Amino acid sequence: MAVTDLGARLLTADDLLRLSGEGVRGELIRGVLCETMPTGREHGQIVVNLVMLLGNFIKPRRLGVLTASDSGVWLERDPDTVREPDIAFFSAETSPLDERVTGYAEVAPDLVVEIASPGDTRRELNDKARMWLSFGAELVWVVHPDERAVDVHRTDHPVMTVNDAQALDGQHVLPGFTCEVRAFFDT
């Protein structure tokens, strides 16, 4: 993630939305633009697999809204922070199904999925998971493609790692959802 100095002034969420329309891709962390780069095919395949698996569970049950990359969540104001989870689930209680959000979501997702990119360290990803939890996410899955495993983060619980021979469940956030981790990586 590259940090960009656009005139040495702090940017707002509105600035970030305008820049995204101009092809600039990134997140805003306390007013500073942190550009992101395309993550590659494997990352994209995992996002699609997870969106399909989660969507096939969430949509027919009308449990909430599922979003993927580039859909930003506005977490802080003055200075603004807008983060971009790989996948986010907002329950119908958190974000009503009939609510139209044309800009960034202004509530934390109930479930956040972050997929490790080449160059991401486990520490960076654990810090990101803790950040999501500190802003109100209830469950964070950090997917590690190289290990074919998922770290499960919850507030006040130790991190649990689930490998591709095991199943992952939605716990209290998506009760009844279960899936073998290997399905995340299927081509």
Side-chain angles (χ1 to χ4, degrees), residues 7 106 108 110 143 170:
E106 295 189 38
D110 297 271
V143 180

Side-chain angles (χ1 to χ4, degrees), residues 40-50 184 186-187:
R41 180 177 162 166
E42 179 182 53
H43 189 279
Q45 285 178 290
I46 294 168
V47 168
V48 168
N49 287 346
L50 277 162
F184 293 14
D186 287 347
T187 53

Side-chain angles (χ1 to χ4, degrees), residues 15-44:
D15 293 330
L16 182 62
L17 201 54
R18 179 184 48 75
L19 287 169
S20 70
E22 297 170 10
V24 176
R25 184 170 176 214
E27 297 178 309
L28 198 60
I29 301 176
R30 294 188 177 99
V32 177
L33 176 65
C34 299
E35 289 184 77
T36 55
M37 298 296 152
T39 52
R41 180 177 162 166
E42 179 182 53
H43 189 279

